[in-house]
Amino acid sequence: MALSPGWRTLALFPVNHCGVFRKAVRSSGLSLLPWGHCPWRGNGSFLDPEMKAFLEENTEVTSSGSLTPEIRLRLLTPRCKFWWERADLWPHSDPYWAIYWPGGQALSRYLLDNPDVVRGKSVLDLGSGCGATAIAAKMSGASRILANDIDPIAGMAITLNCELNQLKPFPILTKNILDLEQDKWDLVVLGDMFYDEDLADSLHQWLKDCFWTHKTQVLIGDPGRPQFRGHSIQHQLHKVVEYSLPEPTRQENNGLTTSAVWDFQP
């Protein structure tokens, strides 16, 4: 797949300058609310009309090329203008939510195939991005869902993606949840989050606190990036399932071929 230099960095996953940006935003704890919305957005939250129009104009609705053809998503694809533009021309924060990353794909596929994992349970989707894993949890019968992503535009995209799948939008939190008092969840899911050492260390401690305080089950999706394989959390993981990635996902992720779901057992 031919990409402009700016979008190539994003599509291969943020480990260089994009990763530094993501780390800076996350560690700041800022909600980044450019149009003044509250960082907690409940069911059926109001969508800013201008942003809604921008997202609809500059993303494509697709269900192909991923592990979950049952889920329709608004994503950045080669048929979108900004796929080919210089990254600095995108007028908002870097759109990590507009890519369906392989760790999230594996988590979503697993929840769809194993609905008993979430049926009747409360689920936190941490670093929700496009919201696919939260959507999969809802489709599989989760009783309570919170999607968390610090980018408020991701929150709007998640709402649109819920509507695409005939689901009532669930609550979305656009604050750094690692800085907040922990709530009790039956299950925490997170995909593709171990790309930066400091963030990975913070996540590791937060997940341990969840497990020991509330006996929360934690499932992690990752295609085996070096930052994840080299982190100390590896000693506390049990591989649940591994999937072969579809060819389009391989092309968008620098040739990664598989993605796995891991059960965290500290």
Side-chain angles (χ1 to χ4, degrees):
M1 177 181 300
L3 290 176
S4 67
W7 285 117
R8 186 181 298 112
T9 303
L10 175 63
L12 298 187
F13 201 79
V15 294
N16 297 314
H17 73 271
C18 285
V20 172
F21 171 86
R22 182 76 159 184
K23 170 189 170 185
V25 174
R26 283 196 177 276
S27 61
S28 73
L30 296 176
S31 300
L32 297 181
L33 301 173
W35 49 86
H37 281 182
C38 173
W40 178 275
R41 307 181 63 219
N43 294 12
S45 296
F46 174 76
L47 285 173
D48 178 83
E50 290 186 8
M51 182 56 66
K52 181 175 184 288
F54 177 85
L55 294 179
E56 290 177 341
E57 180 181 353
N58 291 289
T59 58
E60 180 186 17
V61 176
T62 180
S63 61
S64 63
S66 77
L67 289 171
T68 58
E70 328 59 338
I71 298 178
R72 303 177 74 216
L73 299 168
R74 282 200 167 275
L75 300 174
L76 194 65
T77 75
R79 284 174 289 278
C80 300
K81 177 181 70 172
F82 280 103
W83 181 271
W84 305 101
E85 295 281 9
R86 297 198 321 269
D88 62 337
L89 295 180
W90 178 265
H92 306 289
S93 55
D94 289 344
Y96 298 107
W97 54 265
I99 304 292
Y100 192 9
W101 303 106
Q105 289 190 33
L107 279 170
S108 302
R109 182 71 267 157
Y110 179 70
L111 297 186
L112 291 171
D113 289 344
N114 301 274
D116 288 346
V117 173
V118 295
R119 185 179 291 121
K121 296 180 180 179
S122 59
V123 179
L124 168 64
D125 183 13
L126 183 61
S128 190
C130 65
T133 303
I135 288 170
K138 186 69 173 178
M139 288 178 167
S140 296
S143 61
R144 180 167 71 101
I145 295 173
L146 176 64
N148 171 234
D149 196 292
I150 61 165
D151 188 346
I153 302 177
M156 301 192 79
I158 292 168
T159 299
L160 291 175
N161 287 335
C162 284
E163 294 171 354
L164 280 176
N165 293 280
Q166 290 77 54
L167 297 176
K168 182 179 180 181
F170 34 72
I172 300 163
L173 177 67
T174 56
K175 276 191 172 181
N176 187 344
I177 203 168
L178 303 186
D179 293 337
L180 305 179
E181 183 178 349
Q182 285 191 356
D183 197 358
K184 185 180 187 303
W185 299 96
D186 296 319
L187 174 65
V188 172
V189 291
L190 62 157
D192 307 285
M193 292 287 284
F194 284 78
Y195 55 81
D196 170 83
E197 185 176 357
D198 290 341
L199 174 59
D201 290 345
S202 297
L203 284 168
H204 190 191
Q205 184 59 53
W206 192 88
L207 294 171
K208 284 192 291 186
D209 291 343
C210 274
F211 182 90
W212 292 116
T213 303
H214 302 297
K215 304 303 179 187
T216 300
Q217 182 183 10
V218 177
L219 295 176
I220 299 172
D222 197 275
R225 297 186 183 87
Q227 301 94 322
F228 181 65
R229 295 198 311 267
H231 195 270
S232 60
I233 198 172
Q234 285 290 321
H235 303 297
Q236 299 170 322
L237 297 177
H238 167 71
K239 185 185 288 187
V240 178
V241 65
E242 187 169 20
Y243 299 99
S244 178
L245 292 169
E247 185 59 31
T249 300
R250 296 185 184 196
Q251 293 178 9
E252 291 173 5
N253 288 272
N254 203 24
L256 292 170
T257 59
T258 64
S259 189
V261 175
W262 303 83
D263 187 22
F264 179 54
Q265 299 174 351

